[in-house]
Amino acid sequence: MILWASLLVLAPVSGPLVPISKSVISLQPPWTPVFRGEIVNLTCNGFRLYAPEKVEWYHVSSRRRNSSETMGNILEVRDSGEYRCRAPGSFLSNPVQLIFHPGYFILQAPYSVFEGDELVLRCQKRGKEKMTAVRYIWNGKVISNSSKSTDILIPQASLNNSGCYQCIGSLENAYVLKSNLRYIQIQELFSRPKVKITDSQPTEGNSVNLSCETQLPLERPDTRLHFVFFRDNGVLLSNWSRSPELQIAAIWKEDSGSYWCRAETVTSSVHKHSLPLEIHVQRIPVSGVLLEIQPQGDLVVEGETLVLVCSVAEGTGNITFSWHREDMEESLGKKSQRSQRAELEIPDIRESQAGSYYCAADNSYGLIQSEAVNVTVRSVPGNRGGLVAARATGGTLSTLLLAVALLFYCWHRRKPGTSSGQSLNPPPCAPTVLLSTGDGFLGDTTRSPASPGPREHPHPVCPAPVGLQLLYDNVHLKERNLVYSEIQIVQPGEEGAASTSRTSVENEHASTVYSVVKTQLWDDSAGNVSSEDEDAMEGYAGVPLMCLVPDPKPPAQ
């Protein structure tokens, strides 16, 4: 938009160019014509005018040309003719035509009328006679006939109100007076706006600036306007704003179309819209499609997440990415986005998913494929052991049931007839085992309960079912390659008291129970476990390592 700045021109002076405006003349009273003998004050408005400075005036009439200077910007005139002025720091103003009419009856109108202005027309006569009625004629048509007022008011003038006006007055003595014909031109408050763009054929993804340009007249440089932008059939691109510019951060092919703007006064009295401007957004076809994998390299460990990254060197707009494996007809996945890079994740990759992978990209100009990337998936033996351990932990309930059954079996094996006064010296119920607490092997630990004294009551080696308490995890036996994931001690209760669990590993009368027993497989030199060995792996729950039931013997003499 060209506002007050549009009133400025560049004048060559010493040094850099400085802005200079045109001077503008205003009238007081604002009417024209006036009766001969009346006085009109002309005011010269300049861009850099200060009251004490001198103003140059130029008067051209049918009889002479003259110039004058005034201290200040006001000139009092009584003669018809063309007037101009020049204020300090400004150019010469446009001419103003004044008429001092010698007649008896005149039609007065403002010297300049703009769109949206209030237009007042006045029928004026000399003398004391009163008018009883006034008619106004516009282009030969009566537009007003009143006996109450000699004026006519048009609240908001438009360009359509331009034309030839005349008034006819009736006097009390029945005389009829006709005024002079007066042609009134309604002036544009601002020119029809025009949409401009930094690039009429922008490339997709680039930013563009739209501007709604118009121009205000010299006489109304301070008129306030606001603007709004549209596309095609009224698609709103912005809200009303005092700024005549609109920035589109990223424009896309689907944004192609007709763009136009609308300018309006803040009072909405005058509004105008521009002609449409066609904008064609250019799309760059896809090229340079590349597939990369993460983690980098063509070797992936089984169980990891494989990330397939598809990118393009060039290409704009909405790009559709797809991922493929050469031995599969259907794609592994698709994504459509305004980006030159997209990712596809394959979680928990398996050995069976190894093969050649490639990706393709398309932005409506044709599908472009990348070169294939061979992906090798390496299995890890530890992963198989983990699966076996998972299956073993699934038998928690079976472990508890089996432990109870074995304890009942040991109790049932006791021979009848053993009296309370007999002394029983049971053999040890705990074998030699190799204990591990997670920090490595601790060595051989022999569990041999001491023989009871003469006054001790006999205790069964395998007690009645009591509570179990975890003592050791992952205890490896040196022989037979067994792994015991839990070791528990069963402590018989004292005579006449309820059974209790003991946590001390030095209890004399205890039974060791291994809640999970598995066969330890030996890896080959490559760290792999053979399928045969894996099939031979078994899990046992609640198995006592040794449960010895002693024969009763007579007490020692």
Side-chain angles (χ1 to χ4, degrees), residues 52-326:
E53 297 187 72
K54 292 182 179 180
V55 174
E56 298 176 2
W57 293 93
Y58 301 92
H59 176 218
V60 178
S61 64
S62 58
R63 292 176 293 178
R64 64 182 185 275
R65 294 170 176 263
N66 60 3
S67 62
S68 61
E69 289 184 350
T70 59
M71 290 299 297
N73 61 340
I74 297 176
L75 177 66
E76 190 177 274
V77 296
R78 295 180 175 84
D79 298 324
S80 300
E82 180 184 278
Y83 289 85
R84 293 192 179 200
C85 74
R86 177 160 53 202
S90 301
F91 283 131
L92 194 65
S93 69
N94 291 331
V96 170
Q97 188 72 36
L98 282 182
I99 297 175
F100 288 84
H101 202 281
Y104 180 75
F105 189 67
I106 59 176
L107 171 63
Q108 289 184 324
Y111 177 76
S112 62
V113 182
F114 290 90
E115 295 173 294
D117 286 353
E118 181 182 80
L119 174 59
V120 178
L121 301 178
R122 305 197 314 171
C123 268
Q124 297 291 310
K125 62 174 269 317
R126 287 178 182 267
K128 298 180 180 180
E129 297 88 347
K130 293 184 178 180
M131 289 185 292
T132 57
V134 176
R135 286 181 296 164
Y136 283 90
I137 311 297
W138 173 70
N139 291 338
K141 298 178 182 180
V142 177
I143 57 174
S144 176
N145 191 352
S146 174
S147 60
K148 297 181 179 180
S149 174
T150 60
D151 299 345
I152 185 175
L153 171 66
I154 300 176
Q156 289 185 351
S158 68
L159 297 179
N160 295 330
N161 296 127
S162 298
C164 189
Y165 288 83
Q166 186 181 34
C167 68
I168 299 175
S170 300
L171 301 179
E172 291 179 335
N173 55 11
Y175 285 164
V176 175
L177 302 175
K178 290 185 177 182
S179 73
N180 55 300
L181 293 175
R182 170 75 190 275
Y183 185 82
I184 299 176
Q185 176 64 53
I186 309 299
Q187 302 180 62
E188 278 192 329
L189 182 60
F190 56 90
S191 60
R192 184 172 189 171
K194 183 178 181 180
V195 173
K196 289 188 177 182
I197 188 172
T198 51
D199 186 359
S200 61
Q201 293 186 341
T203 301
E204 264 191 322
N206 291 343
S207 64
V208 295
N209 290 332
L210 297 174
S211 59
C212 189
E213 295 187 355
T214 185
Q215 185 173 355
L216 291 171
L218 298 175
E219 294 85 354
R220 304 291 177 87
D222 298 327
T223 301
R224 297 174 60 190
L225 302 178
H226 54 182
F227 306 86
V228 66
F229 291 82
F230 300 89
R231 186 184 72 225
D232 297 330
N233 297 323
V235 178
L236 187 66
L237 299 179
S238 69
N239 296 321
W240 286 102
S241 170
R242 291 295 307 277
S243 173
E245 295 185 350
L246 173 67
Q247 183 181 44
I248 301 176
I251 195 167
W252 307 100
K253 189 173 181 62
E254 51 267 31
D255 295 327
S256 298
S258 298
Y259 286 73
W260 52 283
C261 70
R262 179 169 176 165
E264 184 176 281
T265 58
V266 293
T267 60
S268 302
S269 59
V270 182
H271 49 80
K272 300 179 182 181
H273 63 82
S274 69
L275 294 174
L277 173 66
E278 291 294 328
I279 298 178
H280 302 280
V281 182
Q282 307 299 308
R283 173 167 289 179
I284 298 177
V286 165
S287 63
V289 182
L290 176 65
L291 177 65
E292 298 174 291
I293 65 171
Q294 294 177 357
Q296 296 181 351
D298 57 357
L299 182 62
V300 184
V301 177
E302 193 174 32
E304 290 185 337
T305 297
L306 176 64
V307 181
L308 303 177
V309 182
C310 191
S311 61
V312 299
E314 289 186 343
T316 59
N318 204 38
I319 301 178
T320 300
F321 295 91
S322 59
W323 291 265
H324 309 265
R325 202 170 72 195
E326 289 187 341

Side-chain angles (χ1 to χ4, degrees), residues 466-485:
V466 294
L468 302 182
Q469 182 168 356
L470 176 64
L471 292 183
Y472 302 96
D473 284 340
N474 299 325
V475 179
H476 296 259
L477 194 65
K478 282 186 173 179
E479 298 178 359
R480 299 183 60 185
N481 302 328
L482 296 180
V483 177
Y484 303 87
S485 66

